[in-house]
Amino acid sequence: MTVFKKAAVLLLVVATAACTNPDRFGGGADGSAGGANGAGLGAGAGAAGSASDPASPLFFNQTIGDRVLFAVDTSTITPEGQTILDGQAQWLLTNADYRAVIEGHADEQGTREYNLALGQRRANAVREYLVSRGVPSTRLQVTSFGKERPIAVCSEESCYAQNRRAVTVLSFSAVTS
C-alpha cells in the first residue's frame, strides 16, 4: 500500500469512528441523548430533543423563533415581534426547567457606547414583554452586545436589518417558580 492509500484508510477509519461514538452528543453512560444542559439532540421525527419535539430547544429556535427584529434606533417591539414573543412566553411557561438570556444587538451604525445602550434597551423590552405574558422575571436575564456580534456583515440595509435584533438563548436549569 502506498503512503497515500494508508493515510486515506486511516482517515476513513477515524471519521467512521467519530460518527459511531454513542456519546457524541454528551449523553449519559446509558447512551441516552442529551447532555448536562438537557438539550438532547436525538434523531428522528418526534424524538426527544429534535426540532419536532415541542419541549425541545430546537423546536423553540426553529418553530417558534429565537429572535425578534427592530427598526432603526428603536427598541419598540413590532407586531411580528409580539407574535414571536407570545410563542416564546407560552413555551417558557410550559417548559419551566429553562431559563433564558436575552441578548440585545444593534447594527454597525453609531458609536460602540450608543449601540451597547440600544442593545440593552432592546433586550429589556423583550424581557418586559415576556414578563407581561407571565414568565417569571427570575428566569430571564438580559445582556447587550451592541454591534459587537453581527450575524450579517456588509454595509447595506439588508445586513443592518438582520443585526438589529434581540435573541432569546435558552439554558436548562432546574428552576423552582
Side-chain angles (χ1 to χ4, degrees):
M1 246 190 208
T2 67
V3 174
F4 177 75
K5 286 182 181 178
K6 287 180 185 178
V9 170
L10 180 60
L11 180 63
L12 182 62
V13 169
V14 170
T16 304
C19 291
T20 59
N21 180 357
D23 195 31
R24 67 187 171 275
F25 297 126
D30 63 353
S32 62
N37 68 358
L41 295 173
S50 73
S52 59
D53 174 10
S56 78
L58 283 175
F59 180 89
F60 178 90
N61 291 345
Q62 295 178 9
T63 305
I64 295 169
D66 65 344
R67 67 195 62 210
V68 294
L69 301 177
F70 293 87
V72 177
D73 294 330
T74 70
S75 58
T76 304
I77 298 171
T78 64
E80 296 84 9
Q82 290 176 358
T83 300
I84 292 168
L85 292 175
D86 287 340
Q88 287 185 9
Q90 186 58 45
W91 192 93
L92 286 164
L93 291 170
T94 303
N95 298 281
D97 286 340
Y98 287 88
R99 293 182 180 268
V101 175
I102 303 157
E103 300 175 344
H105 299 270
D107 62 34
E108 68 182 54
Q109 301 174 94
T111 65
R112 181 177 187 274
E113 294 76 20
Y114 176 81
N115 284 320
L116 281 170
L118 180 58
Q120 189 71 33
R121 287 193 304 273
R122 288 173 174 165
N124 283 330
V126 168
R127 181 181 185 276
E128 290 171 14
Y129 189 91
L130 292 172
V131 168
S132 78
R133 296 299 187 257
V135 178
S137 62
T138 56
R139 293 177 52 204
L140 304 171
Q141 291 181 302
V142 296
T143 191
S144 175
F145 292 107
K147 61 182 179 179
E148 304 303 319
R149 292 189 178 180
I151 57 172
V153 181
C154 73
S155 296
E156 298 175 10
E157 178 55 28
S158 62
C159 294
Y160 295 153
Q162 293 177 61
N163 293 328
R164 296 188 297 260
R165 69 196 189 281
V167 181
T168 304
V169 180
L170 299 174
S171 64
F172 183 80
S173 174
V175 177
T176 55
S177 298

